[in-house]
Amino acid sequence: MSSKVTRFRLAVVAVAASVAVLAGCSSSSPSAKTSATSCAPAKGKVTLQYWNTVPGMDKVVALWNKKNPNIQVETKNISNDQYGILSNALKAGKAPDLSQVGYDELPNLRTQSAFVDASACSAATAAKSKFVPWTWSQTSFGNTGVFALPQDTGPMALYVRSDIFKKYDIAIPTTWDEYAAAAAKLHKADPKLDITFFDPNNAEWFNGLLWQNNAQMYSYSGNKWQVTVASDQSRQVADYWQKLIAGKLVRTDLANGSTQMYAAYQKDRIASYVGAAWGYSMFRDNLPKQAGKWTIVPMPTWGSDGASGDWGGSTVAFMKGSKHLYESVEFNTWLNTDPEALALENQLGGLYPAANAGLQLPALSKGVPYYNNEKIFDVFAASSKKINTTFAWGPTQKTVNLALQDAMAKATAGSGTLSDALSAAQSAALKSMKDQAIPAAAGK
């Protein structure tokens, strides 16, 4: 995941933008597309470099290596600074053959000519039918090539300490209004107890909340990007969390996945978690003594349509400079479509597969012991079906996320509001595009 989604790996997920939007990203940089001219297999043994942030991925790679002696893969975990390490490697001309890249980072890296187009390999183009459609659209930039293969997604839900809610006779909330009321009731019953935490340094998580409320951050029309980061829908989300923060009903001093976060949950100081499908393994692996105390339910909603959001999810991208495209496609396709590989990735790393075959894994249809044998993946499957698939990321999303985080941190410290943070992010989006000569305007 991204640098602030310390789930050990993810960057935030994007849902499909239209061909025009994605083409708009590529048009901003004449050199954005790096086409491969050959997909000929190598003569002899090949060793590929694959960088990622997924726990247990070394065991998945070991399975491949055992079965494929002529295409060996060396894996490197870059979870401590995924984007920075990859960017530096690209600048130095030392990028790996393959790397995990979040959906929201794809447009940004493409403007840096970071990828090679693998469409010269028939196996790469044939893989399209193996993935959930919106994920493929992201990696192909509107069918302009094959720059990555989808790996996982992050449909969101609400993790609830059911024992705490039962103790204080509070119904599990189904709407955000009910969630706010539950927060007040919990805090009144025990001033040391908060319903959740708000991580100001996690723009990706916040973007997932915006996504749920149909807060379209970008669109493409009139030959330019329309930037609507600070839309009315976005401000509704910001104002909601601002009220919870002002009422001291949520904590703002915890980072997602941090030791401090787990300690707060361990001490029964937080009663719920607004998270994604991949988060199920976080609690299972870090809070083993709370087995049977957690339940996972649909995310609280804004309206009657039951819309959900998506946080996290990644691709495995074909990186510029790779000299072994054929072999990279072979491994990448196996990694993200083979049932045995997908089962290991779900078991060890908590990945919620983007491949159609992955969604049919036996493990995803069974009860999960840690969660009182509930079929939690049914909740995530339902969430996935209620995600707005027209949501798009802009070509300078990394810059926008950093600006949003900086302003949210100031807001939680008492300087400004979360709504002001949206305005700052909007300004950052427009300026960063202007600086790169990308046509953009403030949308309505």
Side-chain angles (χ1 to χ4, degrees):
M1 207 106 242
S2 70
S3 59
K4 296 301 179 183
V5 184
T6 319
R7 160 262 185 254
F8 328 121
R9 75 169 223 325
L10 285 170
V12 134
V13 119
V15 170
S18 66
V19 172
V21 173
L22 293 166
C25 176
S26 64
S27 67
S28 67
S29 175
S31 61
K33 182 175 179 179
T34 304
S35 297
T37 57
S38 174
C39 191
K43 298 178 181 179
K45 186 175 179 179
V46 165
T47 299
L48 303 175
Q49 297 293 323
Y50 166 43
W51 295 359
N52 67 89
T53 67
V54 183
M57 187 55 75
D58 56 329
K59 294 180 176 62
V60 181
V61 170
L63 176 63
W64 164 270
N65 286 339
K66 183 179 179 180
K67 295 182 176 183
N68 298 271
N70 290 327
I71 306 176
Q72 294 290 284
V73 178
E74 295 179 351
T75 183
K76 176 181 178 180
N77 189 291
I78 56 172
S79 56
N80 59 328
D81 184 15
Q82 179 185 358
Y83 191 86
I85 293 173
L86 190 56
S87 294
N88 290 335
L90 284 164
K91 292 175 183 177
K94 297 181 179 180
D97 298 274
L98 297 160
S99 181
Q100 180 184 354
V101 176
Y103 293 94
D104 65 331
E105 294 174 343
L106 285 171
N108 201 82
L109 285 171
R110 194 186 180 200
T111 63
Q112 302 174 38
S113 300
F115 309 127
V116 62
D117 178 6
S119 59
C121 299
S122 59
T125 55
K128 178 178 180 179
S129 63
K130 298 180 179 181
F131 295 96
V132 174
W134 70 259
T135 63
W136 183 266
S137 182
Q138 284 289 302
T139 61
S140 65
F141 296 104
N143 294 321
T144 61
V146 181
F147 302 91
L149 295 187
Q151 184 165 73
D152 72 310
T153 63
M156 298 179 76
L158 181 66
Y159 294 63
V160 176
R161 274 289 300 274
S162 52
D163 58 326
I164 294 178
F165 274 70
K166 184 177 181 179
K167 177 181 179 180
Y168 295 108
D169 192 28
I170 298 175
I172 294 178
T174 60
T175 69
W176 285 114
D177 284 343
E178 291 176 358
Y179 191 74
K185 189 172 181 180
L186 282 170
H187 200 66
K188 182 177 180 180
D190 182 353
K192 295 183 179 180
L193 177 62
D194 295 289
I195 196 166
T196 194
F197 67 98
F198 182 96
D199 180 359
N201 293 308
N202 198 326
E204 294 89 349
W205 172 79
F206 190 71
N207 289 338
L209 300 177
L210 301 183
W211 190 338
Q212 182 201 25
N213 199 33
N214 195 31
Q216 298 282 2
M217 300 172 74
Y218 307 90
S219 61
Y220 195 83
S221 63
N223 295 319
K224 64 176 62 175
W225 287 90
Q226 305 296 323
V227 182
T228 53
V229 176
S231 67
D232 290 342
Q233 292 92 336
S234 294
R235 293 186 187 280
Q236 181 182 12
V237 176
D239 291 345
Y240 174 87
W241 288 93
Q242 186 66 47
K243 289 179 180 178
L244 291 181
I245 292 170
K248 300 187 183 304
L249 299 178
V250 296
R251 290 182 62 169
T252 60
D253 61 336
L254 301 174
N256 188 71
S258 65
T259 301
Q260 293 79 6
M261 184 202 82
Y262 291 121
Y265 280 110
Q266 184 65 56
K267 296 176 181 178
D268 297 340
R269 290 293 149 226
I270 305 180
S272 71
Y273 175 78
V274 181
W278 43 261
Y280 92 94
S281 61
M282 290 172 46
F283 291 89
R284 178 198 66 189
D285 297 343
N286 291 280
L287 298 171
K289 293 183 180 179
Q290 292 186 358
K293 296 182 179 181
W294 286 93
T295 189
I296 297 177
V297 299
M299 196 174 178
T301 62
W302 292 104
S304 59
D305 61 355
S308 191
D310 198 293
W311 169 32
S314 294
T315 70
V316 177
F318 300 100
M319 304 306 297
K320 180 180 66 175
S322 173
K323 298 178 181 179
H324 304 294
L325 187 60
Y326 173 87
E327 291 78 13
S328 293
V329 169
E330 291 295 301
F331 170 70
N332 202 347
T333 303
W334 174 87
L335 181 70
N336 292 306
T337 66
D338 182 84
E340 190 174 9
L342 295 173
L344 266 181
E345 291 160 22
N346 174 259
Q347 176 189 348
L348 300 174
L351 300 190
Y352 189 74
N356 295 319
L359 299 179
Q360 305 304 316
L361 291 176
L364 298 187
S365 63
K366 297 178 181 179
V368 178
Y370 182 85
Y371 294 93
N372 208 27
N373 287 315
E374 296 175 5
K375 294 184 177 180
I376 63 171
F377 290 108
D378 287 352
V379 178
F380 294 119
S383 171
S384 185
K385 294 177 181 178
K386 296 179 180 179
I387 295 169
N388 177 5
T389 58
T390 66
F391 189 90
W393 299 112
T396 59
Q397 191 64 44
K398 184 67 176 180
T399 298
V400 176
N401 283 350
L402 291 174
L404 181 60
Q405 289 172 179
D406 181 64
M408 288 196 302
K410 291 177 180 177
T412 56
S415 178
T417 65
L418 295 180
S419 187
D420 293 334
L422 289 171
S423 297
Q426 167 107 357
S427 296
L430 291 169
K431 182 180 185 302
S432 60
M433 290 185 195
K434 180 181 179 181
D435 289 346
Q436 296 184 44
I438 301 173
K444 296 180 180 180

